Amino acid sequence: MDTTNKSLVILLSNVVVLLLAATTVHSCFPSDRATLLEFRAKLNEPYIGVFNTWKGQDCCKGWYGVSCDPNTGRVAGITLRGESEDPIFQKAKRSGLMTGSISPVICKLTRLSGIIIADWKGISGGIPSCIAKLPFLRHIDLVGNKISGVIPANIGMLLRLKVLNLADNQISGVIPPSITRLTSLAHLDLRNNNISGVIPRDIGRLKMLSRVLLSGNKISGQIPESLTRIYRLADLEISMNRLTGSIPVSFGKMSVLATLNLDGNLISGEIPGTLMTSSISNLNLSGNLITGRIPNTFGPRSYFTVLDLANNRLQGPIPASITAASFIGHLDVSHNHLCGKMPAGSPFDHLDATSFAYNTCLCGKPLGNCKK
């Protein structure tokens, strides 16, 4: 092939590349646009006007809260937050209030990777069960509404899901057993609903979880031991439920667990000594049925911003080793059956008497002097 022909081939190749680039889709699919309008028809937001921009043929350009894949033109995300610093909210000088429901028509948007419809306070109805069939979903955030009904039983089909936030709604039913198939899940927040039943025993299969927030429900049964095998888990909050049984000893062996809030349950047994020298810095076990003594296992590794053991059935003295802790910011052991002389030194030099009130016979600073 001579030089002229080679140059011609290169030129034609470049033209083909340019033509392909020029055909990159920038406008939305007409079917997706129609679906969005159907979805919007089931919602009412009279104050901010977030849907005023939902007009024109191209839903990928200028439609508030809608994002598209630049290559396919398919709708990839719906992000509608009722509380935002966006100029549209700044101008209105108020947060949003939206009523209506999430229409199952949303499931026609088969390329969705994110559904964020959060903090609107008034959206009711159920979660469309068909969303479990959206294969590209990575993010579901419906926090702060009045959504009721149950979590879709087949939610475990969403193998790409990383965030599931359904907090502050009126959801009932159980945590679906299929949730333990969501092996990409990093953030699970179901706080402040009416969820009952037990935590799935094999939840420890979800090795990517860093936050499990289940407080403020009606969850019963025991704390699954498998939770302690999630090595990435940093925050575990299961407060204000109906949990029974004892605290797994292996919580104290988790390398990154920083928050363990189990307050307001029916947990019994003794406090594992390993918790006092673990990575946990926020430990709240108050309002349970815990017995035995406060473990005398504190040391230089003990660092607590919060250590709340109030309203239990603890006995014996406050252990002397507690003064060896590197830091204890807030300590509350009130409303127990503790007895004996308070250890001298930190943290007792900066705590007031209310932290130790309503015990059997504690004495010493900051309480009254011990009887001789």
Side-chain angles (χ1 to χ4, degrees):
M1 184 181 293
D2 59 32
T3 305
T4 303
N5 287 334
K6 284 183 179 179
S7 299
L8 184 59
V9 168
I10 293 171
L11 178 62
L12 289 172
S13 298
N14 290 336
V15 169
V16 169
V17 169
L18 288 170
L19 287 173
L20 287 172
T23 58
T24 300
V25 180
H26 293 290
S27 59
C28 70
F29 267 43
S31 59
D32 282 1
R33 178 183 179 277
T35 296
L36 285 171
L37 292 176
E38 282 188 74
F39 163 78
R40 183 258 177 275
K42 295 292 184 180
L43 297 168
N44 179 41
E45 192 286 294
Y47 302 109
I48 307 296
V50 296
F51 292 124
N52 290 346
T53 59
W54 285 34
K55 54 190 176 184
Q57 295 302 308
D58 190 356
C59 63
C60 295
K61 186 176 181 180
W63 284 38
Y64 187 87
V66 177
S67 59
C68 298
D69 185 315
N71 295 315
T72 65
R74 299 298 306 276
V75 172
I78 296 175
T79 303
L80 299 171
R81 294 190 183 277
E83 296 177 0
S84 172
E85 295 183 1
D86 189 276
I88 193 173
F89 288 86
Q90 298 290 329
K91 185 178 180 180
K93 296 181 180 179
R94 59 168 296 161
S95 59
L97 175 63
M98 189 184 293
T99 56
S101 61
I102 300 172
S103 171
V105 75
I106 198 173
C107 301
K108 292 182 181 179
L109 300 172
T110 55
R111 301 293 298 192
L112 274 179
S113 65
I115 300 173
I116 301 173
I117 307 170
D119 297 315
W120 290 104
K121 308 175 187 67
I123 295 176
S124 57
I127 302 169
S129 60
C130 59
I131 68 167
K133 297 179 181 178
L134 294 174
F136 298 98
L137 265 186
R138 290 177 168 82
H139 195 130
I140 300 175
D141 186 349
L142 306 178
V143 63
N145 290 294
K146 292 183 178 178
I147 295 169
S148 57
V150 301
I151 301 170
N154 57 348
I155 198 163
M157 296 171 63
L158 298 175
L159 299 182
R160 290 180 170 89
L161 196 66
K162 293 185 177 182
V163 174
L164 178 60
N165 187 352
L166 306 177
D168 301 322
N169 279 289
Q170 299 171 5
I171 295 167
S172 56
V174 302
I175 300 173
S178 74
I179 206 168
T180 61
R181 298 181 203 154
L182 301 177
T183 52
S184 296
L185 196 65
H187 180 103
L188 175 63
D189 191 347
L190 305 178
R191 287 176 294 181
N192 302 320
N193 280 287
N194 296 311
I195 296 168
S196 56
V198 301
I199 301 170
R201 287 184 62 186
D202 57 344
I203 193 170
R205 293 174 57 188
L206 305 183
K207 301 299 184 185
M208 302 302 289
L209 275 175
S210 62
R211 306 192 79 199
V212 176
L213 311 176
L214 307 175
S215 298
N217 283 288
K218 299 174 181 177
I219 298 168
S220 57
Q222 298 190 9
I223 302 169
E225 182 82 27
S226 69
L227 273 169
T228 69
R229 295 194 289 273
I230 305 175
Y231 66 91
R232 293 173 180 263
L233 190 60
D235 299 308
L236 177 61
E237 298 183 15
I238 327 178
S239 307
M240 307 307 293
N241 278 289
R242 299 172 182 177
L243 295 171
T244 55
S246 58
I247 302 168
V249 174
S250 41
F251 273 138
K253 300 175 183 178
M254 297 178 69
S255 59
V256 298
L257 186 64
T259 298
L260 179 60
N261 288 345
L262 305 177
D263 49 298
N265 281 287
L266 302 170
I267 295 168
S268 57
E270 299 188 357
I271 301 172
T274 54
L275 295 186
M276 300 307 157
T277 53
S278 66
S279 63
I280 299 169
S281 60
N282 183 338
L283 178 62
N284 192 340
L285 306 179
S286 65
N288 280 289
L289 306 174
I290 298 170
T291 55
R293 296 182 170 222
I294 300 173
N296 192 22
T297 54
F298 292 85
R301 290 188 60 201
S302 307
Y303 185 101
F304 292 100
T305 54
V306 173
L307 177 57
D308 195 339
L309 309 176
N311 289 283
N312 278 290
R313 299 176 180 181
L314 296 169
Q315 297 178 318
I318 295 176
S321 66
I322 197 169
T323 60
S326 63
F327 178 76
I328 297 180
H330 171 80
L331 173 68
D332 193 344
V333 295
S334 63
H335 296 271
N336 278 288
H337 305 297
L338 301 174
C339 187
K341 185 177 181 180
M342 214 86 75
S346 179
F348 305 98
D349 51 7
H350 70 262
L351 296 171
D352 59 42
T354 58
S355 297
F356 310 97
Y358 300 99
N359 276 287
T360 303
C361 50
L362 283 178
C363 61
K365 188 179 179 180
L367 298 176
N369 294 328
C370 296
K371 295 179 180 178
K372 295 182 179 179

